Amino acid sequence: MRLKQLKIENFRCYKNEVVVDLDDLVVLVGRNDAGKSSLFDALDVFFENKSAPDGDDVSVHSENNLVSITCVFENVPSPIIIDTQYSTDLGSEYLLNNEGDLEITKVYDCGLARPKIKAVYAQAVHPSEPQYNDLISLNNSNLKQRARTLGVELTEVNQSVNAELRRAIWSHADDLKPGYQAIELKGDGDKIWNQLKKSLPVFALFKSDRPSTDQDAEAQDPMKGAVKEAIRAQRIRLDEITQQVTSEVQEIANRTVEKIKEMNPALANQLTPRVAHKNWDTLFSVNLTGDEDIPINKRGSGTRRLVLLNFFRAKAEREAESSDIGLIYAIEEPETSQHPHNQILLVRAFQELVEREECQIFVSTHTPVLARRFNNESLRLVTSTGEGPLIRYGSDEDTISAIVKSLGVLPDHNIKVFWGVEGKNDIQFLRTISSMLHNANENVPDLSQEEDMGHLVFIPLGGSNIDLWVSRLEEFNRPEFYLMDRDFPPPQPPKYHQFATQIEGRVNCMQWTTKRKELENYIHPNVIRNKIPNYNGNGEPFEDVPMLFAQAVHELSESEQSWSEVMADAQKLGKKLSAAKRRLNNEIVADMTPSLLHQIDSENEINTWLQEIGSAINS
């Protein structure tokens, strides 16, 4: 599941309900005390890393002590288990909202000495007809009684499965009168909520003001997130173990009480056997040591925080094609104690991570260096008003203007070249290939180094960021280069032929179209086969390298699903192709050599592009 929206009310500075739309990557900017941290803390409470808000978390302007936090999730799995081991879907259970999303509201009573959760609601289009509007809260015996009262035929219904009983009862009604309403998940509904929680994303919050030791904050918390992810991946097996151990221990405890009863009945009557167990993730801890076993918490603050940076880089490189675990990382001011070079690497790591369908990254920042490297659509400006915080979106040009003013973003006059490419994978390919050729003393620039020095700005076509908004390319009077995939073999025109023609007419612009299908076709097939032996590509200019690679990886995985079945599932195929492109352009291309590149790129296209870029940078 993916977190789509956050709604909070009466929490700290958010007295009135505020709705925040969320994407895979969200960057919160704004002045101190504008309300950025409160959004992250509200999520931390919702996902139960913190049991409840504190009494002081209630808005000071409020007339009551109830705090409301709502999370809206899309991409809800179907089927899903909400009644013991039996699967159903939330649409059939009338637990989805108007847009087909799972919308859960938690209400907390902060007027108590120890604040706690008061109720959990599903905001859903649900039956309102009496006798049919409370089925979610009924247990098995009550559902069967309701069916008898209403005269529902249950002969062909598995009466041990609550979902089937509810479906049969709802089907019996002439008109359920469905309407958008809050369904309290109480009674048996509470069991449903406990099952739903197992499918929610794992949420990890990294506060900017925590100490950076190997047992706290940036060092330990991401490792705890990794432990939680691994535990949840094995949750079915671990649940079975927990149930088995609980059952056996409960039996021994019951027998012990029975034996005590033989000797002291009065004492036995005071004893009630109860078996409790801890969460599995509390059984594991991770310690990090440096050179000569020096603990990481004895190193400099910048080094300690690099633990966080490299955790994300490692996560970004990890293949997770088959993972169904959602991950949300919220990071306050990740630039803290980091050199600008490391800040750039951190942004790249975030961008690579969110390409996983199951991962979302939320960050807050005050630093122009960090904010200007994200697409405008990722930015959220949080500003204080007399009515409480206001959330503004980077998709609006007026908002970008306000962000630029707030952060003090200025045009970067070190920029010498803009290079437009089709996407992030192309950028990574060009970075890696240029570094390889540069290190082999070929007369080409190392694009990663040029980026770090601010000489080169890549432009993912179709996206935009603050740099481009501030610079207004034509006004910047810098050379512009554009590289586009051909996609179609001759004699068909290239896919972006019309756009290329328009660019040619502009001053200070140059465009190239690949002579092969796309950049992945410049990776030598032998390099791919060194990693994936069953890869069937042979280096033809217009073969579909990502598709062939994805098929080979799938067949090596020994999945029970055939490749033809994957091809018939558009969503699964898209996921595998996306993973294939990431791996080809990050891992596989790194094994290329100048000799192999010259073999497959006999016309030296790549060298020509890079030399032109180098000349523009050095001119």
Side-chain angles (χ1 to χ4, degrees):
M1 281 192 276
R2 177 183 176 276
L3 183 58
K4 176 181 179 180
Q5 201 172 65
L6 169 67
K7 304 177 184 180
I8 57 177
E9 182 177 3
N10 207 27
F11 183 71
R12 297 184 186 170
C13 52
Y14 295 90
K15 176 188 175 184
N16 301 317
E17 184 181 73
V18 170
V19 179
V20 187
D21 294 331
L22 302 170
D23 294 318
D24 290 338
L25 181 59
V26 173
V27 183
L28 300 178
V29 296
R31 298 182 181 277
N32 291 332
D33 288 332
K36 302 185 300 298
S37 295
S38 294
L39 296 176
F40 287 170
D41 288 338
L43 287 171
D44 207 37
V45 171
F46 181 92
F47 284 99
E48 299 181 0
N49 295 328
K50 183 178 180 183
S51 60
D54 298 327
D56 294 336
D57 284 332
V58 176
S59 173
V60 295
H61 304 292
S62 174
E63 298 174 356
N64 64 70
N65 293 307
L66 298 181
V67 169
S68 173
I69 304 175
T70 299
C71 283
V72 182
F73 300 93
E74 62 182 0
N75 301 336
V76 179
S78 180
I80 189 170
I81 295 175
I82 63 173
D83 285 324
T84 59
Q85 73 268 34
Y86 298 100
S87 63
T88 181
D89 66 272
L90 297 184
S92 299
E93 298 289 344
Y94 299 99
L95 288 176
L96 300 179
N97 66 13
N98 290 305
E99 296 182 354
D101 300 323
L102 176 63
E103 183 173 347
I104 298 295
T105 297
K106 293 186 175 182
V107 178
Y108 302 87
D109 188 346
C110 295
L112 304 174
R114 291 186 176 181
K116 65 178 183 179
I117 192 165
K118 176 181 175 68
V120 178
Y121 300 92
Q123 308 288 348
V125 178
H126 199 78
S128 62
E129 179 69 12
Q131 301 284 352
Y132 297 92
N133 60 354
D134 61 346
L135 302 189
I136 289 294
S137 64
L138 302 184
N139 60 26
N140 187 265
S141 60
N142 288 336
L143 283 170
K144 286 186 281 191
Q145 178 60 48
R146 179 66 58 82
R148 287 192 292 269
T149 300
L150 296 171
V152 178
E153 178 57 54
L154 298 178
T155 304
E156 298 183 5
V157 175
N158 184 345
Q159 298 182 37
S160 64
V161 181
N162 290 2
E164 293 194 20
L165 286 170
R166 288 193 292 268
R167 193 172 294 118
I169 296 172
W170 281 324
S171 298
H172 180 74
D174 294 329
D175 183 4
L176 291 172
K177 299 179 181 178
Y180 186 68
Q181 55 190 298
I183 307 303
E184 185 173 358
L185 298 179
K186 61 181 180 179
D188 233 51
D190 184 57
K191 296 178 181 178
I192 292 176
W193 168 236
N194 287 330
Q195 290 293 326
L196 283 175
K197 285 194 293 187
K198 296 178 182 180
S199 297
L200 297 185
V202 172
F203 179 81
L205 172 61
F206 310 113
K207 303 283 285 183
S208 62
D209 54 358
R210 290 181 182 174
S212 295
T213 72
D214 64 346
Q215 289 298 314
D216 283 304
E218 286 84 357
Q220 185 62 212
D221 284 353
M223 299 305 168
K224 289 181 179 178
V227 169
K228 284 186 177 181
E229 180 181 357
I231 292 296
R232 291 188 61 173
Q234 301 296 325
R235 62 182 181 271
I236 295 177
R237 293 172 57 191
L238 294 176
D239 283 348
E240 291 174 351
I241 293 172
T242 299
Q243 291 174 8
Q244 182 178 353
V245 172
T246 300
S247 177
E248 292 182 7
V249 172
Q250 184 72 55
E251 182 183 356
I252 293 173
N254 291 338
R255 288 187 178 184
T256 300
V257 172
E258 290 300 318
K259 292 300 180 183
I260 293 174
K261 188 178 293 184
E262 294 176 3
M263 301 178 63
N264 190 334
L267 175 60
N269 290 334
Q270 300 174 21
L271 301 177
T272 301
R274 292 191 179 92
V275 180
H277 59 84
K278 294 184 177 180
N279 293 330
W280 284 96
D281 54 5
T282 62
L283 305 180
F284 300 87
S285 62
V286 182
N287 293 295
L288 299 172
T289 58
D291 295 339
E292 300 178 354
D293 291 331
I294 299 174
I296 214 73
N297 60 327
K298 301 302 181 182
R299 308 289 290 274
S301 61
T303 299
R304 296 198 300 268
R305 291 185 185 274
L306 274 178
V307 173
L308 172 64
L309 166 61
N310 287 288
F311 168 77
F312 279 108
R313 295 182 69 189
K315 292 288 293 180
E317 295 169 2
R318 178 182 174 184
E319 284 300 311
E321 289 184 55
S322 59
S323 174
D324 62 349
I325 303 299
L327 293 167
I328 302 173
Y329 295 105
I331 309 102
E332 288 187 350
E333 301 173 22
E335 67 271 16
T336 304
S337 300
Q338 290 304 307
H339 187 277
H341 172 73
N342 289 340
Q343 295 180 28
I344 294 170
L345 292 179
L346 189 58
V347 172
R348 290 179 189 168
F350 291 159
Q351 292 169 336
E352 291 169 2
L353 250 179
V354 297
E355 289 181 8
R356 277 184 53 183
E357 292 184 4
E358 301 83 8
C359 187
Q360 293 176 270
I361 303 287
F362 307 151
V363 303
S364 64
T365 184
H366 297 282
T367 305
V369 172
L370 214 64
R372 70 192 305 163
R373 290 184 174 271
F374 293 102
N375 285 346
N376 293 353
E377 290 74 13
S378 297
L379 301 177
R380 305 286 186 274
L381 176 61
V382 185
T383 55
S384 296
T385 71
E387 300 298 321
L390 174 67
I391 310 296
R392 299 170 63 184
Y393 295 84
S395 53
D396 175 67
E397 190 161 305
D398 289 339
T399 299
I400 295 300
S401 178
I403 291 174
V404 168
K405 184 177 180 180
S406 174
L407 294 181
V409 181
L410 300 174
D412 187 347
H413 294 288
N414 288 326
I415 296 174
K416 298 182 177 181
V417 173
F418 291 103
W419 195 355
V421 296
E422 290 193 25
K424 297 173 184 176
N425 289 319
D426 291 349
I427 294 173
Q428 187 57 42
F429 176 95
L430 294 168
R431 284 179 185 143
T432 305
I433 283 290
S434 69
S435 296
M436 179 268 291
L437 293 173
H438 180 83
N439 293 334
N441 296 317
E442 301 254 353
N443 187 29
V444 300
D446 184 328
L447 299 185
S448 292
Q449 291 181 10
E450 299 299 339
E451 270 194 293
D452 292 349
M453 290 186 289
H455 297 162
L456 169 68
V457 172
F458 275 114
I459 309 168
L461 300 179
S464 61
N465 56 34
I466 290 178
D467 267 332
L468 304 186
W469 190 92
V470 174
S471 303
R472 302 294 191 181
L473 296 188
E474 292 188 67
E475 300 173 11
F476 216 83
N477 194 30
R478 293 292 189 273
E480 299 171 39
F481 296 86
Y482 295 88
L483 174 63
M484 290 156 282
D485 296 336
R486 192 178 216 291
D487 289 307
F488 306 129
Q492 298 181 69
K495 181 176 181 180
Y496 295 103
H497 176 70
Q498 184 175 358
F499 179 56
T501 302
Q502 293 172 353
I503 291 174
E504 285 180 348
R506 286 179 54 189
V507 177
N508 224 10
C509 279
M510 179 179 289
Q511 67 83 21
W512 299 295
T513 298
T514 63
K515 294 182 178 180
R516 289 174 166 261
K517 185 178 189 296
E518 54 191 344
L519 286 184
E520 287 85 357
N521 291 76
Y522 294 84
I523 301 176
H524 200 288
N526 289 347
V527 171
I528 302 176
R529 270 191 287 273
N530 285 340
K531 292 287 179 69
I532 308 295
N534 61 323
Y535 174 73
N536 290 324
N538 55 18
E540 291 297 319
F542 287 92
E543 65 188 10
D544 194 335
V545 175
M547 182 72 76
L548 293 171
F549 183 85
Q551 179 179 357
V553 170
H554 176 79
E555 290 171 349
L556 274 182
S557 70
E558 299 181 353
S559 170
E560 295 181 0
Q561 192 174 32
S562 68
W563 180 246
S564 59
E565 291 174 319
V566 172
M567 292 279 286
D569 186 333
Q571 184 176 5
K572 181 164 289 187
L573 177 63
K575 183 178 178 181
K576 286 186 175 290
L577 288 176
S578 178
K581 279 183 166 288
R582 286 199 306 274
R583 192 171 175 190
L584 284 165
N585 289 287
N586 285 272
E587 174 190 343
I588 306 299
V589 73
D591 292 339
M592 286 286 287
T593 65
S595 174
L596 290 171
L597 179 61
H598 296 321
Q599 286 179 36
I600 197 163
D601 181 16
S602 59
E603 299 186 38
N604 284 330
E605 287 183 80
I606 292 179
N607 274 64
T608 300
W609 306 333
L610 294 174
Q611 287 170 9
E612 287 281 359
I613 295 292
S615 295
I617 289 173
N618 294 324
S619 64

